[in-house]
Amino acid sequence: MPNILALLECLQRHTTRTTLRRWSRIIPAILAMSGRITMLGISRWCGKGGSYRTIQRFFASSLPWAVLFWVFFKEHIFCSKETYILAGDEVVVSKAGEKSYGIDRFFSSLYEKPILGLSFFTLSLVSVEKRKAFPISVEQIIKPKEDKVKKVAEKPKSSKNELNTETIKKKGGRPKGSRTKDKKEVNLTPDFLRIRCMVQDLLKKISKFLPLTYLVLDGYFGNNKAVVMARQLGLHLIC
């Protein structure tokens, strides 16, 4: 295994020496572990200098992860001869309990149903030649708190005569008198606004060094709103 501390030297300007030493113990432990990764499990694999309390201090600290990802990518991974595109996707991690920040029910494609866990949206730079993705920005998805539902008075039971009446069907096709709307003027949902903010922040960091042309998203974003969002960012959407 290469010297982890030597690879992390490029991050010294953006973090402390103590954080780098903790990384040099935590990263080999995570690479050696199998199965679910927890702070207790990491401390057992770290050996000397990686006590459980040290691991807790590390994960309790605030770090500029977006900057660190980009600096590491530019220093050790970037190749000027390769073509890169930006890809985004959501990942759901199952988790039990009630105290984890942002825990809620999210749809998991692996289980094909909503599960209790945490959800993250990740932006990655994908090398077209190597066919590899390198995470560059990660943000946790927090569902907004729903307003308390007001109690609605029960509707009176319908009579037999009302049940037998035929329901009025709406005519198909375009409503009479409607006008053509400008497809470029759309109201973006909170999901699109969050993704647009993430991409904007990333482009500010890397656009001068690595100009991007394409944004890749999954089928959920195969609609006009996603196209408008991508064009607002100066990118072309691949979906």
Side-chain angles (χ1 to χ4, degrees):
M1 184 179 295
N3 188 352
I4 299 296
L5 195 58
L7 294 175
L8 300 177
E9 286 294 332
C10 60
L11 307 178
Q12 190 171 357
R13 290 196 307 168
H14 306 280
T15 186
T16 62
R17 196 71 186 178
T18 301
T19 301
L20 293 178
R21 286 199 302 268
R22 290 172 180 171
W23 263 332
S24 66
R25 292 170 175 81
I26 292 174
I27 294 175
I30 292 178
L31 294 176
M33 293 174 65
S34 60
R36 177 82 59 170
I37 296 177
T38 63
M39 287 194 292
L40 182 60
I42 294 173
S43 65
R44 289 172 176 171
W45 282 82
C46 276
K48 187 178 180 181
S51 64
Y52 182 54
R53 186 58 182 159
T54 299
I55 306 302
Q56 284 182 318
R57 290 194 189 99
F58 172 78
F59 285 103
S61 60
S62 178
L63 297 173
W65 287 107
V67 176
L68 297 176
F69 283 146
W70 168 241
V71 171
F72 189 88
F73 174 85
K74 185 170 64 173
E75 184 70 22
H76 298 294
I77 300 173
F78 175 74
C79 180
S80 58
K81 296 182 180 180
E82 295 181 4
T83 303
Y84 294 92
I85 58 177
L86 184 64
D89 198 9
E90 181 181 349
V91 59
V92 177
V93 182
S94 61
K95 186 168 180 60
E98 299 177 352
K99 295 184 179 180
S100 297
Y101 177 71
I103 192 167
D104 211 320
R105 299 195 71 84
F106 299 93
F107 181 82
S108 172
S109 57
L110 294 177
Y111 294 94
E112 296 184 349
K113 63 178 182 180
I115 62 172
L116 186 66
L118 305 176
S119 180
F120 302 89
F121 191 87
T122 305
L123 292 174
S124 301
L125 289 173
V126 181
S127 172
V128 177
E129 286 77 12
K130 293 182 179 179
R131 301 176 66 87
K132 290 184 178 180
F134 306 98
I136 205 74
S137 179
V138 182
E139 184 175 313
Q140 186 176 0
I141 298 175
I142 306 297
K143 285 188 177 181
K145 294 182 179 179
E146 297 179 355
D147 298 331
K148 294 183 178 179
V149 181
K150 296 180 179 179
K151 293 183 179 180
V152 182
E154 294 183 0
K155 295 181 180 180
K157 295 182 179 179
S158 56
S159 60
K160 292 183 179 179
N161 294 331
E162 291 177 351
L163 293 174
N164 292 331
T165 56
E166 295 181 357
T167 57
I168 302 174
K169 295 182 179 180
K170 293 183 179 180
K171 293 183 179 180
R174 184 171 180 170
K176 187 176 181 180
S178 63
R179 296 183 179 182
T180 303
K181 297 180 181 179
D182 188 357
K183 292 185 178 181
K184 295 182 179 180
E185 296 181 1
V186 297
N187 295 323
L188 299 180
T189 62
D191 287 338
F192 286 104
L193 293 175
R194 172 174 45 80
I195 296 171
R196 187 179 68 177
C197 184
M198 287 182 65
V199 177
Q200 279 179 339
D201 292 341
L202 179 61
L203 292 178
K204 289 179 182 178
K205 297 183 182 69
I206 72 175
S207 58
K208 294 181 180 180
F209 183 82
L210 177 60
L212 297 172
T213 305
Y214 299 102
L215 173 64
V216 181
L217 299 172
D218 63 11
Y220 173 77
F221 299 95
N223 50 59
N224 180 59
K225 289 184 179 181
V227 174
V228 173
M229 179 196 68
R231 296 306 302 143
Q232 290 175 352
L233 297 168
L235 300 173
H236 294 282
L237 180 66
I238 299 177
C239 188

